[in-house]
Amino acid sequence: VQLQASGGGLVQAGGSLRLSCAASGRTLTQYIMGWFRQAPGKEREFVAAHREATDSFDYADSVKGRFTISRDNAKNTVYLQMNSLKPEDTAVYYCAAGSYGDWRWASSYDYWGQETQVTVSS
């Protein structure tokens, strides 16, 4: 499956962005979908995930209540709605698709989209 991430940009603190992750090759309904991010000089970290089979969601504590992961199966696309953005949300963001394992671990994902930059100014 090929993943194409988009939607990043520059936004002021308190603003919103919606990232998109469009897939081709296979339907995303069979995959756990995750979003990760990596800030300069830091490790890649888990942001959010969704398991279609159980309609289960998980969020990092740092984004809980502000970010929402969702899917549009008709468009084979996953979204990350980011509200109340903070400067510490600045990072490159990645979407990923996986089938097994702990969805908070990057190693559990088999397919990755290219990065999309999110910059939040103070």
Side-chain angles (χ1 to χ4, degrees):
V1 60
Q2 291 77 46
L3 303 175
Q4 181 79 27
S6 62
L10 173 64
V11 63
Q12 288 188 331
S16 298
L17 282 174
R18 188 178 76 159
L19 305 183
S20 299
C21 178
S24 59
R26 290 185 181 180
T27 177
L28 290 181
T29 55
Q30 64 186 296
Y31 294 104
I32 297 167
M33 295 303 299
W35 286 94
F36 288 76
R37 67 186 183 187
Q38 188 167 15
K42 294 189 177 182
E43 298 284 322
R44 187 172 299 190
E45 65 173 359
F46 168 78
V47 175
H50 177 247
R51 185 192 300 267
E52 178 77 10
T54 56
D55 199 24
S56 302
F57 298 84
D58 193 19
Y59 295 94
D61 288 344
S62 59
V63 307
K64 200 169 293 184
R66 299 188 297 121
F67 290 13
T68 303
I69 186 172
S70 63
R71 300 187 189 226
D72 184 336
N73 291 331
K75 295 182 178 180
N76 213 27
T77 299
V78 176
Y79 302 99
L80 184 69
Q81 178 67 44
M82 305 185 294
N83 298 328
S84 302
L85 283 161
K86 304 176 181 179
E88 50 263 45
D89 294 318
T90 295
V92 292
Y93 284 70
Y94 302 87
C95 61
S99 301
Y100 305 101
D102 187 330
W103 56 16
R104 287 182 171 235
W105 289 77
S107 58
S108 297
Y109 293 83
D110 303 307
Y111 305 99
W112 291 83
Q114 87 289 358
E115 63 188 47
T116 186
Q117 175 71 46
V118 172
T119 303
V120 184
S121 63
S122 57

